[in-house]
Short mmCIF file of all heavy atoms in Angstrom, two decimals:
data_model
loop_
_atom_site.label_atom_id
_atom_site.label_comp_id
_atom_site.label_asym_id
_atom_site.label_seq_id
_atom_site.Cartn_x
_atom_site.Cartn_y
_atom_site.Cartn_z
N PRO A 419 4.20 19.61 -5.84
CA PRO A 419 4.75 19.89 -7.09
C PRO A 419 4.13 19.26 -8.27
O PRO A 419 4.38 19.58 -9.41
CB PRO A 419 6.19 19.37 -6.88
CG PRO A 419 6.13 18.37 -5.88
CD PRO A 419 5.07 18.88 -4.96
N ASN A 420 3.39 18.17 -8.01
CA ASN A 420 2.70 17.57 -9.19
C ASN A 420 1.40 16.80 -8.71
O ASN A 420 1.01 17.01 -7.57
CB ASN A 420 3.60 16.47 -9.80
CG ASN A 420 4.19 15.54 -8.79
OD1 ASN A 420 3.38 14.98 -7.99
ND2 ASN A 420 5.51 15.27 -8.75
N ALA A 421 0.72 16.20 -9.71
CA ALA A 421 -0.57 15.64 -9.36
C ALA A 421 -0.47 14.08 -8.99
O ALA A 421 -1.44 13.29 -9.14
CB ALA A 421 -1.49 15.82 -10.45
N GLU A 422 0.73 13.65 -8.56
CA GLU A 422 0.89 12.26 -8.30
C GLU A 422 0.24 11.70 -7.02
O GLU A 422 0.21 10.50 -6.83
CB GLU A 422 2.46 11.96 -8.27
CG GLU A 422 3.11 12.08 -9.49
CD GLU A 422 2.53 10.87 -10.45
OE1 GLU A 422 2.65 9.72 -10.00
OE2 GLU A 422 2.09 11.18 -11.52
N ARG A 423 -0.29 12.54 -6.23
CA ARG A 423 -0.86 12.04 -5.00
C ARG A 423 -2.37 11.63 -5.10
O ARG A 423 -3.21 11.96 -4.36
CB ARG A 423 -0.77 13.04 -3.82
CG ARG A 423 0.70 13.01 -3.22
CD ARG A 423 0.74 14.12 -2.05
NE ARG A 423 1.98 14.01 -1.25
CZ ARG A 423 3.05 14.50 -1.73
NH1 ARG A 423 3.30 15.07 -2.87
NH2 ARG A 423 4.20 14.34 -0.95
N HIS A 424 -2.51 10.96 -6.24
CA HIS A 424 -3.89 10.23 -6.41
C HIS A 424 -3.72 8.75 -6.23
O HIS A 424 -2.60 8.18 -6.22
CB HIS A 424 -4.49 10.59 -7.81
CG HIS A 424 -3.59 10.17 -8.93
ND1 HIS A 424 -3.80 8.89 -9.58
CD2 HIS A 424 -2.59 10.69 -9.63
CE1 HIS A 424 -2.90 8.70 -10.52
NE2 HIS A 424 -2.19 9.74 -10.54
N LEU A 425 -4.82 8.00 -6.14
CA LEU A 425 -4.73 6.58 -6.05
C LEU A 425 -4.12 5.96 -7.35
O LEU A 425 -4.54 6.34 -8.44
CB LEU A 425 -6.15 6.02 -5.81
CG LEU A 425 -6.57 6.18 -4.36
CD1 LEU A 425 -8.08 5.84 -4.31
CD2 LEU A 425 -5.78 5.30 -3.42
N HIS A 426 -3.24 5.06 -7.12
CA HIS A 426 -2.63 4.29 -8.11
C HIS A 426 -2.98 2.78 -7.95
O HIS A 426 -3.28 2.40 -6.91
CB HIS A 426 -1.14 4.45 -8.23
CG HIS A 426 -0.66 5.78 -8.43
ND1 HIS A 426 -0.49 6.36 -9.74
CD2 HIS A 426 -0.31 6.86 -7.69
CE1 HIS A 426 -0.13 7.66 -9.68
NE2 HIS A 426 0.06 7.97 -8.47
N SER A 427 -2.88 2.06 -9.08
CA SER A 427 -3.16 0.56 -8.92
C SER A 427 -2.10 -0.06 -8.05
O SER A 427 -1.02 0.43 -8.03
CB SER A 427 -3.25 -0.02 -10.34
OG SER A 427 -1.92 -0.08 -10.89
N PRO A 428 -2.47 -1.29 -7.49
CA PRO A 428 -1.54 -2.00 -6.73
C PRO A 428 -0.20 -2.32 -7.59
O PRO A 428 0.86 -2.28 -7.09
CB PRO A 428 -2.26 -3.33 -6.36
CG PRO A 428 -3.73 -2.85 -6.27
CD PRO A 428 -3.80 -1.77 -7.43
N GLU A 429 -0.46 -2.71 -8.85
CA GLU A 429 0.60 -3.09 -9.71
C GLU A 429 1.56 -1.88 -9.91
O GLU A 429 2.79 -1.96 -10.01
CB GLU A 429 0.03 -3.57 -11.05
CG GLU A 429 -0.68 -4.89 -11.01
CD GLU A 429 -2.09 -4.70 -10.42
OE1 GLU A 429 -2.64 -3.64 -10.38
OE2 GLU A 429 -2.68 -5.66 -9.97
N GLU A 430 0.98 -0.67 -10.14
CA GLU A 430 1.83 0.55 -10.36
C GLU A 430 2.64 0.83 -9.05
O GLU A 430 3.82 1.18 -9.17
CB GLU A 430 0.96 1.67 -10.77
CG GLU A 430 1.64 3.06 -10.65
CD GLU A 430 2.78 3.14 -11.60
OE1 GLU A 430 2.87 2.38 -12.63
OE2 GLU A 430 3.59 4.13 -11.48
N MET A 431 2.02 0.75 -7.98
CA MET A 431 2.87 0.95 -6.73
C MET A 431 3.92 -0.01 -6.43
O MET A 431 5.00 0.33 -6.07
CB MET A 431 1.78 1.02 -5.50
CG MET A 431 0.96 2.21 -5.55
SD MET A 431 1.73 3.78 -5.54
CE MET A 431 2.66 3.85 -4.06
N ALA A 432 3.65 -1.20 -6.79
CA ALA A 432 4.66 -2.27 -6.68
C ALA A 432 5.76 -2.04 -7.65
O ALA A 432 6.89 -2.27 -7.32
CB ALA A 432 4.03 -3.70 -6.90
N ARG A 433 5.47 -1.55 -8.80
CA ARG A 433 6.54 -1.22 -9.78
C ARG A 433 7.44 -0.14 -9.32
O ARG A 433 8.63 -0.15 -9.43
CB ARG A 433 5.82 -0.84 -11.19
CG ARG A 433 6.84 -0.62 -12.27
CD ARG A 433 6.17 0.08 -13.46
NE ARG A 433 5.66 1.44 -13.16
CZ ARG A 433 6.46 2.41 -13.08
NH1 ARG A 433 7.75 2.37 -13.35
NH2 ARG A 433 5.94 3.62 -12.79
N ARG A 434 6.78 0.93 -8.70
CA ARG A 434 7.54 2.15 -8.20
C ARG A 434 8.53 1.76 -7.19
O ARG A 434 9.54 2.37 -7.05
CB ARG A 434 6.52 3.22 -7.70
CG ARG A 434 5.77 3.83 -8.71
CD ARG A 434 4.98 5.07 -8.20
NE ARG A 434 4.33 5.70 -9.37
CZ ARG A 434 3.64 6.96 -9.19
NH1 ARG A 434 3.83 7.63 -8.05
NH2 ARG A 434 3.10 7.42 -10.15
N PHE A 435 8.20 0.70 -6.38
CA PHE A 435 9.10 0.35 -5.35
C PHE A 435 9.74 -1.08 -5.60
O PHE A 435 10.11 -1.72 -4.68
CB PHE A 435 8.30 0.26 -4.00
CG PHE A 435 7.95 1.56 -3.41
CD1 PHE A 435 6.74 2.22 -3.79
CD2 PHE A 435 8.75 2.26 -2.55
CE1 PHE A 435 6.40 3.40 -3.30
CE2 PHE A 435 8.52 3.55 -2.07
CZ PHE A 435 7.22 4.15 -2.38
N ARG A 436 9.93 -1.33 -6.83
CA ARG A 436 10.47 -2.65 -7.17
C ARG A 436 11.89 -2.80 -6.69
O ARG A 436 12.40 -3.98 -6.52
CB ARG A 436 10.42 -2.89 -8.77
CG ARG A 436 11.18 -1.89 -9.54
CD ARG A 436 10.97 -2.26 -11.07
NE ARG A 436 11.68 -1.27 -11.96
CZ ARG A 436 11.23 -0.05 -12.22
NH1 ARG A 436 10.03 0.50 -11.75
NH2 ARG A 436 11.92 0.82 -12.99
N ASP A 437 12.60 -1.85 -6.46
CA ASP A 437 14.00 -1.91 -5.91
C ASP A 437 13.99 -2.07 -4.39
O ASP A 437 15.02 -2.38 -3.77
CB ASP A 437 14.85 -0.62 -6.20
CG ASP A 437 14.16 0.57 -5.72
OD1 ASP A 437 12.99 0.77 -5.80
OD2 ASP A 437 14.88 1.55 -5.16
N LEU A 438 12.84 -1.87 -3.78
CA LEU A 438 12.59 -2.07 -2.28
C LEU A 438 11.44 -3.08 -2.10
O LEU A 438 10.35 -2.70 -1.55
CB LEU A 438 12.35 -0.80 -1.63
CG LEU A 438 13.53 0.20 -1.61
CD1 LEU A 438 13.01 1.51 -1.13
CD2 LEU A 438 14.69 -0.26 -0.79
N PRO A 439 11.60 -4.36 -2.53
CA PRO A 439 10.46 -5.27 -2.38
C PRO A 439 9.87 -5.37 -1.02
O PRO A 439 8.71 -5.65 -0.84
CB PRO A 439 11.05 -6.57 -3.00
CG PRO A 439 12.54 -6.47 -2.83
CD PRO A 439 12.75 -4.96 -2.97
N ASN A 440 10.86 -5.31 0.01
CA ASN A 440 10.33 -5.47 1.35
C ASN A 440 9.33 -4.30 1.77
O ASN A 440 8.48 -4.49 2.65
CB ASN A 440 11.45 -5.59 2.45
CG ASN A 440 12.36 -4.46 2.33
OD1 ASN A 440 12.54 -3.70 1.26
ND2 ASN A 440 13.20 -4.19 3.34
N ALA A 441 9.48 -3.09 1.19
CA ALA A 441 8.55 -1.93 1.48
C ALA A 441 7.21 -2.31 0.93
O ALA A 441 6.21 -1.76 1.48
CB ALA A 441 9.10 -0.66 0.82
N VAL A 442 7.15 -3.01 -0.08
CA VAL A 442 5.83 -3.58 -0.64
C VAL A 442 5.24 -4.70 0.16
O VAL A 442 4.11 -4.71 0.58
CB VAL A 442 5.93 -3.87 -2.11
CG1 VAL A 442 4.70 -4.46 -2.65
CG2 VAL A 442 6.48 -2.66 -2.96
N THR A 443 6.08 -5.72 0.42
CA THR A 443 5.68 -6.78 1.24
C THR A 443 5.17 -6.37 2.57
O THR A 443 4.25 -6.94 3.11
CB THR A 443 6.79 -7.79 1.44
OG1 THR A 443 7.34 -8.07 0.18
CG2 THR A 443 6.41 -9.06 2.28
N ASN A 444 5.78 -5.23 3.17
CA ASN A 444 5.30 -4.89 4.46
C ASN A 444 3.93 -4.24 4.42
O ASN A 444 3.27 -4.22 5.52
CB ASN A 444 6.36 -3.87 5.04
CG ASN A 444 7.58 -4.55 5.66
OD1 ASN A 444 7.47 -5.73 5.95
ND2 ASN A 444 8.67 -3.79 5.66
N THR A 445 3.51 -3.76 3.33
CA THR A 445 2.11 -3.26 3.31
C THR A 445 1.13 -4.41 3.46
O THR A 445 0.12 -4.26 4.13
CB THR A 445 1.83 -2.59 2.00
OG1 THR A 445 1.84 -3.54 0.87
CG2 THR A 445 2.78 -1.45 1.71
N LEU A 446 1.48 -5.63 2.95
CA LEU A 446 0.63 -6.77 3.08
C LEU A 446 0.68 -7.26 4.53
O LEU A 446 -0.27 -7.65 5.12
CB LEU A 446 1.14 -7.88 2.12
CG LEU A 446 1.30 -7.51 0.65
CD1 LEU A 446 1.67 -8.68 -0.12
CD2 LEU A 446 -0.01 -6.89 0.17
N ARG A 447 1.97 -7.25 5.17
CA ARG A 447 2.08 -7.70 6.52
C ARG A 447 1.26 -6.82 7.47
O ARG A 447 0.62 -7.31 8.46
CB ARG A 447 3.58 -7.60 6.83
CG ARG A 447 3.84 -8.24 8.31
CD ARG A 447 5.39 -8.21 8.51
NE ARG A 447 5.92 -9.29 7.65
CZ ARG A 447 6.81 -9.11 6.73
NH1 ARG A 447 7.21 -7.84 6.49
NH2 ARG A 447 7.34 -10.07 6.05
N ILE A 448 1.40 -5.55 7.26
CA ILE A 448 0.54 -4.62 8.14
C ILE A 448 -0.96 -4.91 7.96
O ILE A 448 -1.69 -4.80 8.95
CB ILE A 448 0.96 -3.09 7.85
CG1 ILE A 448 2.33 -2.96 8.28
CG2 ILE A 448 0.02 -2.24 8.57
CD1 ILE A 448 2.95 -1.50 7.82
N ALA A 449 -1.41 -4.99 6.69
CA ALA A 449 -2.73 -5.28 6.43
C ALA A 449 -3.21 -6.52 7.06
O ALA A 449 -4.37 -6.65 7.65
CB ALA A 449 -3.07 -5.33 4.94
N ASP A 450 -2.41 -7.58 7.12
CA ASP A 450 -2.70 -8.75 7.81
C ASP A 450 -2.92 -8.59 9.26
O ASP A 450 -3.84 -9.24 9.90
CB ASP A 450 -1.55 -9.79 7.55
CG ASP A 450 -1.82 -10.59 6.24
OD1 ASP A 450 -2.80 -10.55 5.69
OD2 ASP A 450 -0.82 -11.25 5.94
N ALA A 451 -2.07 -7.71 9.81
CA ALA A 451 -2.16 -7.38 11.32
C ALA A 451 -3.42 -6.51 11.62
O ALA A 451 -3.98 -6.68 12.82
CB ALA A 451 -0.92 -6.77 11.87
N CYS A 452 -3.91 -5.70 10.81
CA CYS A 452 -4.99 -4.87 11.05
C CYS A 452 -6.24 -5.62 10.71
O CYS A 452 -6.94 -5.30 9.71
CB CYS A 452 -4.87 -3.59 10.30
SG CYS A 452 -3.38 -2.63 10.66
N VAL A 453 -6.73 -6.33 11.66
CA VAL A 453 -7.96 -7.21 11.42
C VAL A 453 -9.26 -6.50 11.91
O VAL A 453 -10.39 -6.93 11.58
CB VAL A 453 -7.89 -8.61 12.22
CG1 VAL A 453 -6.72 -9.41 11.73
CG2 VAL A 453 -7.72 -8.17 13.73
N PHE A 454 -9.17 -5.31 12.53
CA PHE A 454 -10.36 -4.63 13.07
C PHE A 454 -11.13 -3.89 11.90
O PHE A 454 -10.56 -3.38 10.98
CB PHE A 454 -9.92 -3.61 14.08
CG PHE A 454 -11.01 -2.81 14.54
CD1 PHE A 454 -11.80 -3.08 15.63
CD2 PHE A 454 -11.36 -1.45 14.01
CE1 PHE A 454 -12.85 -2.38 16.07
CE2 PHE A 454 -12.31 -0.60 14.48
CZ PHE A 454 -13.22 -1.16 15.50
N THR A 455 -12.39 -4.00 11.99
CA THR A 455 -13.30 -3.24 11.17
C THR A 455 -14.33 -2.70 12.13
O THR A 455 -14.59 -3.10 13.25
CB THR A 455 -13.86 -4.02 10.03
OG1 THR A 455 -15.00 -4.79 10.54
CG2 THR A 455 -12.97 -4.84 9.33
N LEU A 456 -15.11 -1.65 11.59
CA LEU A 456 -16.28 -1.13 12.38
C LEU A 456 -17.28 -2.19 12.73
O LEU A 456 -18.02 -2.06 13.68
CB LEU A 456 -16.91 0.04 11.65
CG LEU A 456 -16.08 1.34 11.49
CD1 LEU A 456 -17.00 2.46 11.08
CD2 LEU A 456 -15.44 1.74 12.88
N GLU A 457 -17.35 -3.25 11.94
CA GLU A 457 -18.30 -4.26 12.29
C GLU A 457 -17.90 -5.02 13.61
O GLU A 457 -18.77 -5.65 14.15
CB GLU A 457 -18.36 -5.30 11.10
CG GLU A 457 -18.89 -4.70 9.81
CD GLU A 457 -18.86 -5.79 8.78
OE1 GLU A 457 -18.47 -6.92 8.91
OE2 GLU A 457 -19.13 -5.40 7.53
N ASP A 458 -16.70 -4.86 13.98
CA ASP A 458 -16.22 -5.48 15.20
C ASP A 458 -16.39 -4.66 16.50
O ASP A 458 -16.04 -5.03 17.51
CB ASP A 458 -14.78 -5.82 15.12
CG ASP A 458 -14.45 -6.81 14.01
OD1 ASP A 458 -15.28 -7.63 13.67
OD2 ASP A 458 -13.39 -6.57 13.33
N LEU A 459 -17.04 -3.42 16.29
CA LEU A 459 -17.07 -2.44 17.34
C LEU A 459 -17.88 -2.93 18.45
O LEU A 459 -17.43 -2.79 19.69
CB LEU A 459 -17.63 -1.17 16.69
CG LEU A 459 -17.36 0.12 17.68
CD1 LEU A 459 -15.96 0.31 17.95
CD2 LEU A 459 -17.95 1.33 16.94
N GLY A 460 -19.09 -3.52 18.17
CA GLY A 460 -19.90 -4.09 19.22
C GLY A 460 -20.26 -3.12 20.40
O GLY A 460 -20.15 -3.51 21.55
#
């Protein structure tokens, strides 16, 4: 319905979910858990 599915800044996304702070905090928690990169492929 609109053009909103483009990349937004971290600050804008945190603002959009300011009523659900744990939804934002969980993005950081998941990122912390995802330690793998292609450099680790070996």
